[in-house]
Amino acid sequence: MKNVAGTRVFNFDLPPYPREGVFHLDMSPHCQVNRLLTFEAGRLAQLHQLDVFRDMASLRRFQKRMRAKLWEIFGVKYDRDLPLDVKEYGVVGKDGFSIRKLTYQSQPGVHVTALLYVPEGKGPFPAVIQMHGHNKEGKFGVNPQATSLDLVKSGFVCLTVDAFGTYERACNCYEAANHGGVQGAAILNLGQTLMGLQVVDNMRGVDLLRSLDCVQKDRIGATGASGGGNQTMWLSAMDERIAAAMPVVSVGSFESYVYGMNCVCELLPDGLLLTEEAGILALIAPRPLRIANALYDCNHDFSVAEMLKTYHAVEKIYWNLGYPERISFHVADRVHGMHDRQRESVLGYFAQFLKGEGNGNPLPEPDFELSPEQEGHLFPDPSLRPAGVASIPVYCERIGAELRRDFLSRRTISRRESIAGLKKILRLQKLPPQTLHRYAQVNGVIRCALEAGNHVIPFLIKPGTQEGRYRVLLHPQGKCHLTDDDLAAAGKDGATLILPDLFGTGETAQPNQTVGLHHQFFRQLMWVGRTLVGEWVFDVLALAKMLKRNFHAKTIAVTGLLETGAAAVFANVFSGEIDEATAQDSPASLLFDHRSIQLKARSAFEPFLPGAIYSLALSLPGFLKWGDVSLAAALGRGRVAFVSPRSSDGTEYSPAEVRAFEAEIAQTAKKLR
C-alpha cells in the first residue's frame, strides 16, 4: 500500500525552467519560494539603493555609519595592536625575486598562512595583497600563483594569503575541501561571519605589509578573483589604507546574489536590509577602483549586466566629487577566473595607481614559470602544523565552548528578554490573517492548503480515533519523506495527523536544489532578513492557530524530525496553543561538532556531507551567544520531549549525555525570572 504521506496536495508539477549557465539556480516563477525571494530581493534592492553624494562631507558621514553597521554584522573585531607574531618557514630563492613562507596572527591564537613575494633590488616597493578564490588549493592555485608572479616580476611586493578554512588552514592540512557549507555556516551560531573573519585576516595582512621595510606603506593595493574578488571589495571598503582596489569576477548586485549560487563566505546576513552592493563599493570612494568581470562568466550573479547596474551607481559619486579618472571597469573575453586578460588589466591598473606609470591600460604579462606546489608548502609534514593555524571546526568548537560556559554560568535569565532575543534571531514574522483551502480526498487523506500572508502551506490530514487530538508531524525534506513507521509512531495515541510541507520543502521546494540540501535556500533567505528555521516556526504557529480556529482542537502536539525538531521546540516558546513539542533525532546543542562527519564532500551536488544528517538550516546568527537548545526547551509553554537527542553533527547521545542534557534543561528553567 502506498505511504499516504507521499500524497500530493497540488495537482501539478513545476514546469522546467531554463537556467543561464551552470551556476544559475532555477528561479521558476511558478514556485512560491522563488516568487517570495524574487519579490523581496527586488523590493529591498529598490528601498536600499545608493544615495547621491555631492560632497565629501556627506560621503564621509555615510561611510562612517555604514562601516559601524557592518562591523556589528560581522561580529568580529580588528585589533591593530595585537602582535603580528610573524613566523617564517623558509625562503625560496628565484631569479629576480624570493618567496617567503610565513604565518601571522590575525586574532588571539589564530594565525594566517601566506606567501610573501619580494622583488630583488633596492626598495621600498609598492605592494599588493592578493586573496584567492574558491580554488581548493588556496594560494597554490594556478591563477593565484600566476598573479603573484606577474606582480613580483613587475616590481611589486605581493602577499598572497590563504582564506580561513582552506588548504593549509583546512580541517586536514592540504585537504582540497571547501570552507563554506556546514563549516562556514557554523560560524554564524557564534554571532560571527566567515566574511568578517576573512576581512580581519586581510586587514592584518595589510598590517604585515606596512611593517616591512621593503614596502611603500601608502601604496598598497588589493586584488583577487571570485571569492578573492569579493574579499577585495570588503577589505577595501573597510580598510582605508588600501590605495587601489581591483575586484575580479565578483561584482554583480546583492539582488542577483539572492537568485544565484554563492559561498557562505560571500554572505552578509540581512544584507539587503542594509544596502545594495553599490553601497559597499561606495565605501572605497574616492580611492581608485577598477571592477573587472568576464564576458563568458558561468555565474549569472557576476554577469556584465549585473555589474553595470552597480558600477553606474558608484560611478556617479566619483564624478560628483571630481575624480572620474579613478573609477573604471574592464570586461575580458574570458570565463570566470583570474585569467591572462584579467591579469594584464591588473598590471596596467596597479602600474598607474601604485607606481604612477602609464594610463591604466592592460600591460603584457612577463614570462614566468609556475613553481611545484610542494616547494611553497609551509609544513612539509601536515602533522607539524602548529596549533595556532586553526581550522574552522577547531575555531567554532573553541569559541562555541566559551559561549556555552558563559550561558551555563548565568545565575538568572530573563524570560521576557530571552523570548524577544530568540524571536530576533529567528527573524520571526508576525502571523497575518489566514485562509484554509480544502481539496478532494486521495488515498484516504484530506488535502488542504493554509494561506498565511505570502506563505502557502500544503498539508494532509490523516484522521485519527481520538476526537479533538491533533499532532503536527514535520520533516525537513517534506512530508513525502515520512515513513510508515513515522506515521504509526506519531498516531499511536489516536491523534489526527497533520502532515505539512514546511516552507521550502516538499511541494514548496525549489526545483533542482544544488550544493546540498537547503544550502542555497538558507543563504538566499538570510540576504533578505529571514532564516529557514524561522520560516518553519512561522508555519507551525500558523498551523496551530488554524487547528484551534477551524477544527476546534482540544490538544495540539508537534513532533519534528531532525532539523525540524528545533522548529517544534522554538514554536512552543511563542505559542500558547501547543500542548506538547517533541524533537526526534534532533541536536541537543548547536555547539559545533564534527566527530562523525567528513567535511570533504564527494560531490558538489550531494544532499549531505558523508556521515552528516543535518543541513545548514540550523545555522542561526548569534544563537550560542543567546543560549542553547536547553534554554529554548525551558522557555516552552507546553511539555517538551527529546527522543534520541544528538550532537550538532548527528552523533547520538549516550545515556550519560542524555541525563546531563535533561539536567541542563531543569537547571536552566530554575534560572528563569
Side-chain angles (χ1 to χ4, degrees), residues 225-245:
S226 191
N230 192 267
Q231 272 297 304
T232 297
M233 175 181 75
W234 289 105
L235 168 64
S236 305
M238 303 304 290
D239 193 335
E240 293 185 282
R241 298 172 300 175
I242 297 297

Side-chain angles (χ1 to χ4, degrees), residues 166-243:
T166 61
Y167 219 43
E168 286 192 307
R169 303 178 71 191
C171 185
N172 297 313
C173 190
Y174 300 121
E175 181 177 76
N178 196 309
H179 68 169
V182 170
Q183 294 184 79
I187 294 171
L188 294 171
N189 286 321
L190 308 177
Q192 302 177 4
T193 64
L194 179 53
M195 175 187 286
L197 288 168
Q198 287 187 247
V199 168
V200 172
D201 283 352
N202 298 328
M203 290 180 72
R204 294 292 286 163
V206 176
D207 288 344
L208 171 62
L209 287 172
R210 287 172 60 88
S211 72
L212 301 174
D213 292 337
C214 62
V215 169
Q216 291 178 280
K217 296 174 177 50
D218 60 345
R219 297 200 174 192
I220 297 175
T223 193
S226 191
N230 192 267
Q231 272 297 304
T232 297
M233 175 181 75
W234 289 105
L235 168 64
S236 305
M238 303 304 290
D239 193 335
E240 293 185 282
R241 298 172 300 175
I242 297 297

